[in-house]
Amino acid sequence: MIIDFIIEDLMLNSYLQKNFHTLTNSLYNEKNLIGRLHQYFSIYFKTFSSPAAETLFLLALSILAMESADSIRSLYRHFLSAITQKSLTAFYYACSYSKADYSRFMNVTASLALKLIPDSLKSQPVFFCIDDTMISKFGRKFEDVSKLFDHAAHNGSNYLNGHCFVSLMLCVPIWSNRRIAYLAVPLGYRMWQKKESKLELAAAMVRQVMPSFASQKNVIILCDSWYAKKNLACIVDEYPNLDLICNARADSVIYDLAPQPTGRRGRPAKHGERLSIKEDFTLSAEKIGDYYMGVRRVLTNIFGQREVLAYVTSTEKTGGSRRLFFSTIIPEQMQIFCAWQEKAPLNQTGSERMQFIPLLCYTFRWNIEVSYYEQKTFWSLCSYMLRSRKGIEMLVNLINISYCAMKILPYQEESFSKYRTESVQEFRFALSEQIRQQVFYTTFVRNIETSIKSSVVMKALKQLIRQQCWHL
């Protein structure tokens, strides 16, 4: 009896090996969930070779099915080996050595996100959020690993051994319960190498995606005080529809506007007197949100001779610390439906508060911090075990486009619409269950098709599969 069992097991393995190709075609049926996911992700891999495209799709599918990406080996052992004949080495090779340009992922995600904007909101501004995040790694065998200064001191020290990634996020307007909400979609990650600054890397990422935004009226970059420097600020002069709203160091040098020419001999003054954020800004009579606010037009070295708005905020009317912000866009240039906004205080902006709209829009920058938290905590962003820089960036960006799919698909496909108000983790959990069920039933039915001739059994199995509702 044991011998019979072993023989049957060997026959089953032999059968599976001969029918993997047919099994894969069955899984990619556009009527079921995996087929629709394949159709969605194929846009990202359009310029890749067929083997590389299929391998990378299977990796993305396994990330969704296993709800994590602890390592490629773990994904292969628990999921990939059951649905493909590809070896473990093929997946490592696709990440580290295949001729695949993953920088295109940003452009594809941006195009997909822009298509979600309803016609009634086409005139509303879209926002780029720029920031960087650190990932701690043990050992020195990872390419470009280095000692980095960590201002948050997550490990009890101000320095950590690891990688720094610069990322770009896009926020687009959508309708949510008859209010305007902004859907935040991270476009991509780039590993910082010390041969170029993070400012130059961020500017290059913006330049790469800006051609997709030629038809947008207002594209606004949001960044913290670390990125408020000339190397990034200069990019707003390259595109007529691009502006910048940023936090700045409280000790940044700001000047009053240049005085009118006096007619006397000599060069006219390039700027007025130096201003102080404590003495030269009049704060609002009442709090707007959590802060008192003041604003005036100024000149600053960061933006050269371009006039910008300087905003000062404080939690106290008199005394207390003050924060400084710059905006290259003035309220009159922004066409934003404040009354329809989902969140306060932007939706409470009356005529007397219109001058503070650019500053209130800065709150959208917090979305990038939320995405860092979610991807690090629930999507294994920090768990990569590849050594090469290209392999690490490929895997990190694969995780990112899988994360973005959970944000975009509920708005792209009506069958997923019930997950628009759910977290991306809830949606991924629902998908993972359906993916695993589909793989199981497809494999099960194909294995017994030639062994069981009973039409009654086959009919019952097919009815059971239909009841699983693969399309959610």
Side-chain angles (χ1 to χ4, degrees), residues 326-387:
F326 293 130
S327 172
T328 62
I329 188 170
I330 60 176
E332 291 77 11
Q333 295 172 336
M334 296 180 67
Q335 186 175 347
I336 183 168
F337 303 151
C338 294
W340 293 93
Q341 293 296 317
E342 183 181 43
K343 295 181 179 180
L346 193 55
N347 59 9
Q348 300 171 352
T349 306
S351 57
E352 71 281 359
R353 296 184 177 181
M354 292 295 290
Q355 58 183 336
F356 300 114
I357 287 179
L359 178 59
L360 297 177
C361 289
Y362 184 78
T363 56
F364 292 121
R365 197 202 72 83
W366 185 250
N367 288 318
I368 200 169
E369 305 291 351
V370 175
S371 76
Y372 286 156
Y373 170 77
E374 289 184 332
Q375 291 187 346
K376 287 183 175 183
T377 306
F378 305 109
W379 290 77
S380 306
L381 189 71
C382 306
S383 301
Y384 56 83
M385 297 184 186
L386 294 163
R387 292 186 179 182

Coordinates of all heavy atoms in Angstrom, one line a residue, residues 326-387:
F326 N 7.6 78.5 3.1 CA 7.7 79.3 1.8 C 6.7 78.7 0.8 O 6.5 77.5 0.8 CB 9.1 79.3 1.2 CG 10.1 80.1 2.0 CD1 11.3 79.5 2.3 CD2 9.9 81.4 2.5 CE1 12.3 80.1 3.1 CE2 10.8 82.1 3.2 CZ 12.0 81.4 3.5
S327 N 6.2 79.6 0.0 CA 5.3 79.1 -1.1 C 5.6 80.0 -2.3 O 5.5 81.2 -2.3 CB 3.8 79.3 -0.7 OG 3.0 79.0 -1.8
T328 N 5.8 79.3 -3.5 CA 6.0 80.0 -4.7 C 4.7 80.3 -5.4 O 4.7 81.0 -6.4 CB 6.9 79.2 -5.7 OG1 6.3 78.0 -6.0 CG2 8.3 78.9 -5.0
I329 N 3.6 79.7 -4.9 CA 2.3 80.0 -5.6 C 1.5 80.9 -4.6 O 1.5 80.7 -3.4 CB 1.6 78.6 -5.8 CG1 0.3 78.9 -6.7 CG2 1.3 77.9 -4.6 CD1 -0.3 77.6 -7.2
I330 N 0.8 81.8 -5.2 CA -0.1 82.7 -4.5 C -1.5 82.2 -4.6 O -1.9 81.5 -5.5 CB 0.0 84.1 -5.0 CG1 -0.4 84.2 -6.4 CG2 1.4 84.7 -4.8 CD1 -0.4 85.7 -7.0
P331 N -2.4 82.5 -3.6 CA -3.8 81.9 -3.5 C -4.5 82.2 -4.8 O -5.3 81.4 -5.3 CB -4.4 82.6 -2.3 CG -3.2 83.0 -1.5 CD -2.1 83.3 -2.4
E332 N -4.3 83.4 -5.4 CA -5.1 83.7 -6.7 C -4.8 82.8 -7.8 O -5.6 82.7 -8.8 CB -4.8 85.2 -7.1 CG -5.4 86.2 -6.1 CD -4.5 86.4 -4.8 OE1 -3.4 85.8 -4.8 OE2 -5.0 87.0 -3.9
Q333 N -3.6 82.1 -7.8 CA -3.2 81.2 -8.9 C -3.8 79.8 -8.7 O -3.7 79.0 -9.6 CB -1.7 81.2 -9.0 CG -1.1 82.5 -9.4 CD 0.5 82.4 -9.3 OE1 1.0 81.6 -8.5 NE2 1.1 83.3 -10.0
M334 N -4.3 79.5 -7.5 CA -4.8 78.2 -7.2 C -6.3 78.1 -7.4 O -7.1 79.0 -6.9 CB -4.5 77.8 -5.8 CG -3.0 77.7 -5.5 SD -2.7 77.2 -3.8 CE -3.4 75.5 -3.8
Q335 N -6.8 77.1 -8.2 CA -8.2 76.9 -8.3 C -8.5 75.7 -7.5 O -8.5 74.6 -8.0 CB -8.6 76.7 -9.8 CG -10.1 76.6 -10.0 CD -10.4 76.5 -11.5 OE1 -9.6 76.8 -12.3 NE2 -11.7 76.2 -11.8
I336 N -8.9 75.9 -6.3 CA -9.2 74.8 -5.4 C -10.5 75.0 -4.7 O -10.8 76.1 -4.2 CB -8.0 74.7 -4.3 CG1 -8.3 73.4 -3.4 CG2 -7.8 75.9 -3.5 CD1 -7.1 73.1 -2.6
F337 N -11.3 74.0 -4.7 CA -12.7 74.1 -4.1 C -12.6 73.8 -2.6 O -12.8 72.7 -2.1 CB -13.6 73.1 -4.8 CG -13.7 73.2 -6.3 CD1 -14.0 72.1 -7.0 CD2 -13.6 74.4 -6.9 CE1 -14.1 72.2 -8.4 CE2 -13.7 74.6 -8.3 CZ -13.9 73.5 -9.0
C338 N -12.3 74.9 -1.9 CA -12.1 74.7 -0.4 C -13.3 74.2 0.3 O -13.3 73.4 1.2 CB -11.7 76.1 0.2 SG -10.1 76.6 -0.4
A339 N -14.5 74.8 0.0 CA -15.7 74.4 0.7 C -16.1 72.9 0.6 O -16.8 72.3 1.4 CB -16.9 75.2 0.2
W340 N -15.6 72.3 -0.5 CA -15.9 70.9 -0.7 C -14.8 69.9 -0.2 O -14.9 68.7 -0.3 CB -16.0 70.6 -2.2 CG -17.2 71.3 -2.8 CD1 -17.3 72.5 -3.4 CD2 -18.6 70.7 -2.8 NE1 -18.6 72.8 -3.8 CE2 -19.4 71.7 -3.5 CE3 -19.1 69.5 -2.4 CZ2 -20.7 71.5 -3.7 CZ3 -20.5 69.3 -2.6 CH2 -21.3 70.3 -3.2
Q341 N -13.8 70.5 0.4 CA -12.7 69.6 0.9 C -13.2 68.8 2.1 O -14.0 69.1 2.9 CB -11.5 70.5 1.4 CG -10.8 71.2 0.3 CD -10.1 70.3 -0.7 OE1 -9.5 69.3 -0.3 NE2 -10.2 70.6 -2.0
E342 N -12.6 67.6 2.2 CA -13.0 66.6 3.2 C -12.6 67.0 4.6 O -13.3 66.8 5.6 CB -12.4 65.2 2.9 CG -12.8 64.1 3.8 CD -12.2 62.8 3.4 OE1 -11.0 62.8 3.1 OE2 -12.9 61.8 3.4
K343 N -11.4 67.6 4.7 CA -10.8 67.8 6.1 C -10.7 69.3 6.4 O -10.5 70.2 5.5 CB -9.4 67.2 6.2 CG -9.5 65.7 6.0 CD -8.1 65.0 6.2 CE -8.2 63.5 6.1 NZ -6.8 62.9 6.2
A344 N -10.8 69.6 7.7 CA -10.6 70.9 8.2 C -9.1 71.1 8.5 O -8.4 70.1 8.7 CB -11.4 71.1 9.5
P345 N -8.6 72.3 8.5 CA -9.3 73.6 8.4 C -9.4 74.1 6.9 O -9.9 75.2 6.7 CB -8.4 74.6 9.2 CG -7.0 74.0 9.0 CD -7.1 72.6 8.9
L346 N -9.0 73.3 6.0 CA -9.0 73.7 4.6 C -10.5 74.0 4.1 O -10.7 74.9 3.3 CB -8.3 72.7 3.7 CG -8.0 73.1 2.2 CD1 -7.2 74.4 2.2 CD2 -7.3 72.0 1.5
N347 N -11.4 73.2 4.6 CA -12.8 73.4 4.2 C -13.5 74.5 5.0 O -14.7 74.7 4.8 CB -13.6 72.0 4.4 CG -13.6 71.5 5.8 OD1 -13.2 72.2 6.7 ND2 -14.1 70.3 6.0
Q348 N -12.8 75.2 5.9 CA -13.4 76.2 6.7 C -12.8 77.6 6.3 O -12.8 78.5 7.1 CB -13.1 76.0 8.2 CG -13.7 74.7 8.7 CD -13.3 74.4 10.1 OE1 -12.4 75.0 10.7 NE2 -13.9 73.3 10.7
T349 N -12.2 77.7 5.1 CA -11.5 78.9 4.7 C -12.5 79.9 4.1 O -13.0 79.7 3.0 CB -10.4 78.5 3.6 OG1 -9.6 77.5 4.2 CG2 -9.6 79.7 3.3
G350 N -12.8 80.9 4.8 CA -13.6 82.0 4.3 C -12.7 83.0 3.5 O -11.5 82.9 3.3
S351 N -13.4 84.1 3.1 CA -12.6 85.2 2.3 C -11.5 85.7 3.1 O -10.4 86.1 2.5 CB -13.6 86.3 1.9 OG -14.2 86.9 3.1
E352 N -11.6 85.8 4.4 CA -10.5 86.4 5.2 C -9.3 85.5 5.4 O -8.2 85.8 5.8 CB -11.0 86.9 6.6 CG -11.4 85.8 7.6 CD -12.7 85.1 7.3 OE1 -13.4 85.6 6.3 OE2 -13.1 84.2 8.0
R353 N -9.5 84.2 5.1 CA -8.5 83.2 5.2 C -7.9 82.7 3.9 O -7.1 81.8 3.9 CB -9.0 82.0 6.0 CG -9.5 82.3 7.4 CD -9.9 81.0 8.1 NE -10.2 81.3 9.5 CZ -10.6 80.3 10.4 NH1 -10.7 79.0 10.0 NH2 -10.9 80.6 11.6
M354 N -8.4 83.3 2.8 CA -7.9 82.8 1.5 C -6.4 82.9 1.3 O -5.8 82.1 0.7 CB -8.6 83.6 0.4 CG -10.1 83.4 0.3 SD -10.5 81.7 -0.2 CE -9.9 81.8 -1.9
Q355 N -5.8 83.9 2.0 CA -4.3 84.1 1.9 C -3.5 83.0 2.5 O -2.4 82.8 2.2 CB -3.9 85.4 2.5 CG -4.3 85.5 4.0 CD -4.0 86.9 4.6 OE1 -3.1 87.6 4.1 NE2 -4.7 87.2 5.7
F356 N -4.2 82.1 3.3 CA -3.5 81.0 4.0 C -3.7 79.7 3.3 O -3.2 78.7 3.8 CB -3.9 80.9 5.4 CG -3.7 82.2 6.2 CD1 -4.7 82.9 6.7 CD2 -2.4 82.6 6.5 CE1 -4.5 84.1 7.5 CE2 -2.1 83.7 7.2 CZ -3.2 84.5 7.7
I357 N -4.4 79.7 2.2 CA -4.6 78.4 1.5 C -3.4 77.6 1.1 O -3.3 76.4 1.4 CB -5.5 78.6 0.2 CG1 -6.9 79.0 0.6 CG2 -5.5 77.4 -0.7 CD1 -7.9 79.2 -0.5
P358 N -2.3 78.2 0.6 CA -1.1 77.4 0.3 C -0.5 76.8 1.5 O -0.1 75.6 1.4 CB -0.1 78.5 -0.3 CG -1.0 79.5 -0.9 CD -2.2 79.6 0.0
L359 N -0.5 77.4 2.6 CA 0.0 76.8 3.8 C -0.9 75.7 4.3 O -0.4 74.6 4.8 CB 0.1 77.9 4.9 CG 0.6 77.4 6.3 CD1 2.0 76.8 6.2 CD2 0.6 78.5 7.3
L360 N -2.2 75.8 4.2 CA -3.1 74.8 4.6 C -2.9 73.5 3.8 O -3.1 72.4 4.2 CB -4.5 75.2 4.6 CG -4.9 76.4 5.6 CD1 -6.3 76.9 5.4 CD2 -4.6 76.0 7.0
C361 N -2.5 73.7 2.5 CA -2.3 72.6 1.6 C -1.1 71.8 2.0 O -0.9 70.6 1.6 CB -2.2 73.1 0.2 SG -3.7 73.7 -0.6
Y362 N -0.2 72.4 2.8 CA 1.0 71.7 3.2 C 0.7 70.4 4.0 O 1.5 69.5 4.1 CB 1.9 72.6 4.0 CG 3.2 72.0 4.4 CD1 4.3 71.9 3.5 CD2 3.5 71.6 5.7 CE1 5.5 71.4 3.9 CE2 4.7 71.0 6.1 CZ 5.7 70.9 5.2 OH 6.9 70.3 5.5
T363 N -0.5 70.4 4.6 CA -0.8 69.2 5.5 C -0.9 67.9 4.7 O -0.8 66.8 5.2 CB -2.2 69.4 6.1 OG1 -3.2 69.7 5.1 CG2 -2.2 70.6 7.1
F364 N -1.0 68.0 3.3 CA -1.1 66.8 2.5 C 0.3 66.1 2.6 O 0.4 64.9 2.2 CB -1.4 67.1 1.1 CG -2.9 67.6 0.9 CD1 -3.1 68.8 0.4 CD2 -3.9 66.8 1.3 CE1 -4.4 69.3 0.2 CE2 -5.2 67.2 1.2 CZ -5.5 68.4 0.6
R365 N 1.3 66.8 3.0 CA 2.7 66.1 3.0 C 2.7 65.0 4.0 O 3.5 64.0 3.9 CB 3.7 67.2 3.4 CG 5.2 66.7 3.0 CD 6.2 67.5 3.8 NE 6.2 67.1 5.2 CZ 6.9 66.0 5.7 NH1 7.6 65.2 4.9 NH2 6.8 65.7 7.0
W366 N 1.8 65.0 5.0 CA 1.9 64.0 6.0 C 1.6 62.6 5.4 O 1.9 61.6 6.0 CB 0.9 64.3 7.1 CG 1.0 63.3 8.3 CD1 0.0 62.4 8.6 CD2 2.0 63.2 9.2 NE1 0.4 61.7 9.7 CE2 1.7 62.2 10.1 CE3 3.3 63.8 9.4 CZ2 2.5 61.7 11.2 CZ3 4.1 63.4 10.4 CH2 3.7 62.4 11.3
N367 N 0.9 62.5 4.3 CA 0.6 61.3 3.7 C 1.8 60.4 3.4 O 1.7 59.2 3.5 CB -0.2 61.5 2.3 CG -1.6 62.0 2.6 OD1 -2.3 61.5 3.5 ND2 -2.0 62.9 1.8
I368 N 2.9 61.0 3.1 CA 4.1 60.2 2.8 C 4.6 59.5 4.1 O 5.2 58.4 4.0 CB 5.2 61.1 2.2 CG1 6.2 60.2 1.4 CG2 5.9 62.0 3.2 CD1 7.2 61.0 0.5
E369 N 4.5 60.2 5.2 CA 4.9 59.5 6.5 C 4.0 58.3 6.8 O 4.5 57.3 7.3 CB 4.8 60.5 7.6 CG 5.6 61.8 7.4 CD 7.1 61.6 7.5 OE1 7.5 60.5 7.8 OE2 7.8 62.5 7.1
V370 N 2.7 58.4 6.5 CA 1.8 57.3 6.7 C 2.2 56.1 5.8 O 2.2 55.0 6.2 CB 0.3 57.7 6.4 CG1 -0.6 56.5 6.5 CG2 -0.1 58.8 7.4
S371 N 2.5 56.4 4.5 CA 2.9 55.3 3.6 C 4.2 54.6 4.1 O 4.3 53.4 4.0 CB 3.1 55.8 2.2 OG 4.3 56.5 2.0
Y372 N 5.2 55.4 4.6 CA 6.4 54.8 5.2 C 6.0 53.8 6.3 O 6.5 52.7 6.4 CB 7.3 55.9 5.7 CG 8.0 56.7 4.7 CD1 8.5 58.0 5.0 CD2 8.3 56.2 3.4 CE1 9.2 58.8 4.1 CE2 8.9 57.0 2.5 CZ 9.4 58.3 2.8 OH 10.0 59.0 1.9
Y373 N 5.1 54.3 7.2 CA 4.8 53.4 8.3 C 4.1 52.1 7.8 O 4.4 51.0 8.3 CB 3.8 54.2 9.2 CG 3.2 53.3 10.3 CD1 3.9 53.0 11.4 CD2 1.9 52.9 10.2 CE1 3.4 52.1 12.4 CE2 1.3 52.1 11.2 CZ 2.1 51.7 12.3 OH 1.5 50.9 13.2
E374 N 3.2 52.3 6.9 CA 2.4 51.1 6.4 C 3.4 50.1 5.7 O 3.3 48.9 5.9 CB 1.3 51.5 5.5 CG 0.1 52.2 6.3 CD -1.0 52.5 5.4 OE1 -0.8 52.7 4.1 OE2 -2.2 52.5 5.9
Q375 N 4.2 50.7 4.8 CA 5.1 49.8 4.0 C 6.1 49.1 4.9 O 6.5 47.9 4.7 CB 5.7 50.5 2.9 CG 4.7 50.9 1.8 CD 5.4 51.5 0.6 OE1 6.5 51.9 0.6 NE2 4.6 51.6 -0.5
K376 N 6.6 49.8 5.9 CA 7.6 49.2 6.8 C 7.0 48.2 7.7 O 7.6 47.2 8.0 CB 8.4 50.3 7.5 CG 9.3 51.1 6.7 CD 10.1 52.1 7.6 CE 11.1 52.9 6.8 NZ 11.9 53.8 7.6
T377 N 5.8 48.5 8.2 CA 5.2 47.7 9.3 C 4.5 46.5 8.7 O 4.6 45.3 9.2 CB 4.2 48.5 10.1 OG1 4.9 49.6 10.6 CG2 3.7 47.7 11.2
F378 N 3.8 46.7 7.6 CA 2.9 45.6 7.0 C 3.3 45.0 5.7 O 2.8 44.0 5.3 CB 1.5 46.2 6.9 CG 0.9 46.7 8.2 CD1 0.7 48.1 8.3 CD2 0.6 45.9 9.2 CE1 0.2 48.7 9.4 CE2 0.1 46.5 10.4 CZ -0.1 47.8 10.5
W379 N 4.3 45.7 5.0 CA 4.6 45.2 3.6 C 6.1 44.8 3.5 O 6.6 44.6 2.4 CB 4.3 46.4 2.6 CG 2.9 46.6 2.5 CD1 2.0 47.2 3.3 CD2 2.1 46.1 1.4 NE1 0.7 47.2 2.8 CE2 0.7 46.5 1.6 CE3 2.3 45.4 0.2 CZ2 -0.3 46.3 0.7 CZ3 1.3 45.1 -0.7 CH2 0.0 45.6 -0.4
S380 N 6.8 44.6 4.6 CA 8.2 44.1 4.7 C 9.1 44.9 3.8 O 10.0 44.4 3.2 CB 8.2 42.6 4.2 OG 7.3 41.8 4.9
L381 N 9.0 46.2 3.8 CA 9.9 47.1 3.0 C 11.3 47.0 3.5 O 12.2 47.2 2.7 CB 9.4 48.5 3.1 CG 10.1 49.5 2.1 CD1 9.6 49.3 0.7 CD2 9.8 51.0 2.5
C382 N 11.5 46.7 4.8 CA 12.9 46.7 5.3 C 13.5 45.3 5.3 O 14.6 45.1 5.8 CB 12.8 47.2 6.8 SG 12.1 48.8 7.0
S383 N 12.8 44.3 4.8 CA 13.2 42.9 5.0 C 14.1 42.3 3.8 O 14.3 41.2 3.8 CB 12.0 42.0 5.2 OG 11.3 42.4 6.4
Y384 N 14.4 43.2 2.8 CA 15.1 42.7 1.6 C 16.4 42.1 2.0 O 17.1 42.5 2.9 CB 15.3 43.8 0.6 CG 16.0 45.0 1.1 CD1 17.4 45.1 1.1 CD2 15.3 46.1 1.5 CE1 18.0 46.2 1.6 CE2 15.9 47.3 1.9 CZ 17.3 47.3 2.0 OH 17.9 48.4 2.4
M385 N 16.8 41.0 1.3 CA 18.1 40.3 1.6 C 19.0 40.2 0.3 O 19.9 39.4 0.2 CB 17.8 38.9 2.1 CG 17.1 38.9 3.4 SD 16.8 37.3 4.1 CE 15.8 37.6 5.5
L386 N 18.7 41.0 -0.7 CA 19.5 41.1 -1.9 C 20.7 42.0 -1.6 O 20.6 43.0 -0.8 CB 18.7 41.7 -3.0 CG 17.5 40.8 -3.5 CD1 16.5 41.6 -4.4 CD2 18.0 39.6 -4.3
R387 N 21.8 41.7 -2.3 CA 23.0 42.5 -2.0 C 23.2 43.6 -3.0 O 23.8 44.7 -2.6 CB 24.2 41.6 -2.0 CG 24.2 40.6 -0.9 CD 25.5 39.8 -0.8 NE 25.6 38.8 0.3 CZ 26.6 38.0 0.5 NH1 27.7 38.1 -0.3 NH2 26.5 37.2 1.5

